[in-house]
């Protein structure tokens, strides 16, 4: 058994965070001790993201620092995992030859074995060949106790994506869509609930099509079955793209009490011409229809969305369409990204990145300004209401307060005792900001 100290860091989406959790569980099971500073580690593992250039830049800079450390401690082991390993493995080997381990998006579960082998034999392992398939997914045998939060957890239900959005690197880094078997997902969820998890979030790049070729029933069946698991109070899921969504699915979401009234439905643009170039396969009107179904069938639903500004060819008029869509959609929150060209994507190959950076920046600011007014208005509208909040613990941003989430997934800050973490509390909302609510404790369960 090794007692080596390992430092792990993960960039990017929630699925990446969860992949890092899987690796951390494997390491802990094999006697590795986790440390919170890179300087004290014998092993540094970086789980990477390729969605934006910025995310990759951060990894290169971290690798530079790790390389300096290795000059002084040659036995330090350095590994790069995930999307960047998948996308630019040759660059990693060339630019950072001191890296010992490069494991792609479906190979990272071999990290422990590879680290041990490398210690014995030296050299380097580069493995990015394996792709998720029906008989292989890297999710098997999760150690459910190795997770950062005691009462909330994430569960990957599918990997990859069958869509081909022009700007997106996911089809290249994570491959075609593969769903985990229903029984497998339910078993993991049950084990998490047995270990104290009260809220689970199911993850998939395009979760509406979960189980589409399995003959086992899809997302709605998964939600309905998960809702019967003892001890599990809340279920969330993402990402619900506007395509592959039906009104009947919305009806079924709304009918399951434990499915929380929150949907993340990325719009990306409010211009049909831009959506077409993005290959998003829906129109603005269809997006709004999906939002309408959600509001009709899911009582009290809160909707969040993503937008990209400055996509190739986006004119002032196209952008104005996006701004107007934001105004009409009454979202509780919108995440806005400036278009960032990713090599290998269809957009990089076919469409010149022709919107000036200053224009992208101005559009980014304008959408944020529009959304901020709406977010604050929606938050203000619930002042005086009482919500059931699952208490996370001491707030990360307001240390004198506790924080938790209401059913619509907004953060709620309130005064209280840290021992309330993991319990449901009734909180009456008394104030708000753009991104969170503030309230007072009315009662808390025993
Ligand atoms: S739906 Fe589009 S944006 Fe989302 S992962 Fe698939 S290809 Fe990428």
């Amino acid at each position: 058994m090794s007692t080596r100290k390992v430092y792990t860091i993960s960039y990017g989406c929630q699925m990446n965070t969860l992949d890092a959790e899987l690796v951390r569980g494997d390491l802990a099971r094999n006697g590795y001790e986790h440390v919170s500073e890179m300087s004290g580690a014998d092993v540094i593992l970086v789980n990477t993201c390729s969605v934006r250039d910025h995310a990759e830049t951060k990894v290169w800079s971290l690798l530079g620092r790790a390389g300096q450390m290795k000059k002084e401690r040659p036995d330090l082991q350095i590994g790069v995992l995930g999307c960047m390993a998948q996308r630019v493995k040759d660059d990693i080997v060339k630019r950072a030859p001191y890296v010992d381990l490069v494991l792609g998006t479906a190979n990272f579960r071999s990290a422990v074995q590879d680290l041990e082998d490398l210690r014995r034999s030296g050299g380097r392992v580069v493995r990015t060949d394996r792709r998720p398939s029906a008989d292989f997914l890297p999710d098997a045998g999760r150690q459910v106790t190795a997770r950062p939060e005691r009462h909330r957890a994430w569960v990957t239900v599918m990997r990859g994506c069958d869509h081909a959005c022009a700007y997106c690197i996911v089809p290249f880094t994570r491959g075609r869509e593969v769903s985990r078997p229903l029984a497998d997902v339910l078993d993991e969820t049950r084990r998490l609930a047995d270990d104290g998890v009260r809220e689970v979030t199911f993850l998939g790049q395009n979760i509406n099509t979960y189980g589409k070729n399995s003959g086992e029933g899809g997302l709605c069946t998964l939600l309905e079955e998960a809702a019967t698991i003892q001890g599990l109070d809340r279920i969330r899921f993402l990402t619900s793209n506007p395509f592959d969504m039906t009104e009947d699915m919305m009806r079924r979401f709304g009918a399951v009490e434990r499915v929380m009234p929150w949907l993340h439905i990325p719009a990306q643009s409010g211009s049909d011409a831009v959506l077409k170039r993005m290959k998003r396969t829906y129109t603005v009107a269809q997006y709004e229809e999906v939002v309408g179904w959600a509001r009709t069938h899911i009582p009290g639903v809160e909707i969040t969305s993503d937008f990209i500004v400055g996509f190739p060819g986006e004119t002032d008029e196209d952008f104005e369409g996006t701004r107007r869509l934001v105004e009409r959609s009454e979202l509780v929150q919108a995440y806005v990204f400036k278009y960032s060209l990713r090599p290998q994507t269809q957009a990089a190959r076919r469409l010149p990145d022709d919107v000036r950076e200053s224009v992208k920046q101005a559009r980014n600011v304008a959408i944020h300004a529009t959304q901020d007014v709406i977010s604050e208005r929606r938050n203000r509208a619930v002042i005086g209401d009482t919500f059931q909040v699952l208490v996370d613990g001491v707030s990360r941003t307001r240390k004198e307060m506790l924080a938790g989430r209401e059913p619509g997934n907004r953060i709620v800050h309130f005064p209280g005792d840290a021992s309330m973490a993991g319990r449901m509390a009734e909180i009456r909302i008394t104030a708000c900001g753009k991104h969170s609510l503030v309230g007072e404790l009315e009662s808390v369960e025993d």
Side-chain angles (χ1 to χ4, degrees), residues 326 331-336 364-380 432-435:
V326 170
L331 307 164
V332 70
Q333 203 70 251
Y335 303 94
V336 188
N364 187 16
V365 169
I367 294 284
H368 274 115
T370 304
Q371 180 58 45
D372 283 354
V373 172
I374 298 166
S375 298
E376 192 161 354
R377 189 176 65 231
R378 285 196 78 81
N379 289 348
R380 200 168 291 287
C432 71
K434 292 188 290 252
H435 305 301

Side-chain angles (χ1 to χ4, degrees), residues 149-412:
E149 293 176 291
R150 299 325 303 158
H151 47 275
R152 289 203 297 157
W154 306 75
V155 173
T156 299
V157 303
M158 61 204 290
R159 288 182 178 266
C161 183
D162 283 350
H163 283 275
C165 303
Y167 54 82
C168 184
I169 195 76
V170 165
F172 300 91
T173 56
R174 292 184 176 264
R176 299 293 301 252
E177 179 183 311
V178 187
S179 293
R180 293 177 66 189
L182 184 64
D184 197 20
V185 175
L186 291 172
D187 174 62
E188 185 172 314
T189 309
R190 228 172 261 122
R191 287 189 292 121
L192 286 162
D194 288 346
D195 195 53
V197 167
R198 303 186 69 175
E199 176 178 310
V200 84
T201 303
F202 293 128
L203 293 178
Q205 303 286 354
N206 186 40
I207 202 162
N208 302 349
T209 54
Y210 167 73
K212 75 176 171 194
N213 297 320
S214 67
E216 290 186 320
L219 175 62
C220 294
T221 306
L222 169 63
L223 300 175
E224 287 155 1
E225 301 245 336
T228 65
I229 292 176
Q230 187 104 30
L232 193 66
D233 297 288
R234 292 177 159 197
I235 303 165
R236 303 184 191 274
F237 58 94
L238 82 163
T239 295
S240 278
N241 281 296
F243 27 62
D244 308 314
M245 178 65 82
T246 65
E247 185 169 12
D248 188 53
M249 287 170 79
M250 291 290 190
R251 262 191 214 105
R252 288 175 72 181
F253 300 157
V256 185
E257 205 183 320
R258 291 186 190 181
V259 172
M260 292 294 100
W262 166 66
L263 285 173
H264 184 66
I265 316 177
Q268 307 300 12
S269 174
S271 153
D272 285 344
V274 173
L275 287 172
K276 195 163 177 202
R277 278 203 297 284
M278 287 178 167
K279 293 202 177 297
R280 288 289 286 177
T281 70
Y282 54 86
T283 61
V284 176
Q286 283 165 334
Y287 178 81
E288 294 193 272
E289 184 177 35
V290 169
V291 168
W293 293 336
R295 297 214 190 277
T296 304
H297 298 296
I298 307 176
V301 72
E302 292 295 349
I303 299 169
T304 52
S305 188
D306 295 332
F307 292 90
I308 296 171
V309 292
F311 189 75
E314 185 188 69
T315 62
D316 287 344
E317 200 184 321
D318 292 325
F319 171 70
E320 188 49 27
T322 300
R323 215 189 52 73
R324 282 200 303 267
L325 177 63
V326 170
E327 263 176 0
R328 289 195 303 274
S329 300
E330 281 292 315
L331 307 164
V332 70
Q333 203 70 251
Y335 303 94
V336 188
F337 304 95
K338 290 183 285 179
Y339 172 69
S340 152
L341 181 148
R342 307 309 298 129
Q344 295 164 324
T345 58
Q346 292 186 50
R349 281 183 273 124
R350 290 189 293 107
L351 303 168
D353 185 9
D354 56 1
V355 178
R356 285 199 316 277
E357 181 56 31
S358 58
V359 174
K360 287 181 186 171
Q361 180 58 21
R363 290 177 182 172
N364 187 16
V365 169
I367 294 284
H368 274 115
T370 304
Q371 180 58 45
D372 283 354
V373 172
I374 298 166
S375 298
E376 192 161 354
R377 189 176 65 231
R378 285 196 78 81
N379 289 348
R380 200 168 291 287
V382 298
I383 291 179
D385 291 359
T386 297
F387 287 114
Q388 191 172 61
V389 169
L390 177 57
V391 184
D392 286 333
V394 175
S395 162
R396 282 195 208 129
T397 52
R398 304 177 71 166
K399 298 285 179 212
E400 75 289 4
M401 297 261 206
L402 299 183
R405 301 249 172 192
E406 51 92 28
N409 211 28
R410 281 177 285 204
I411 294 173
V412 183

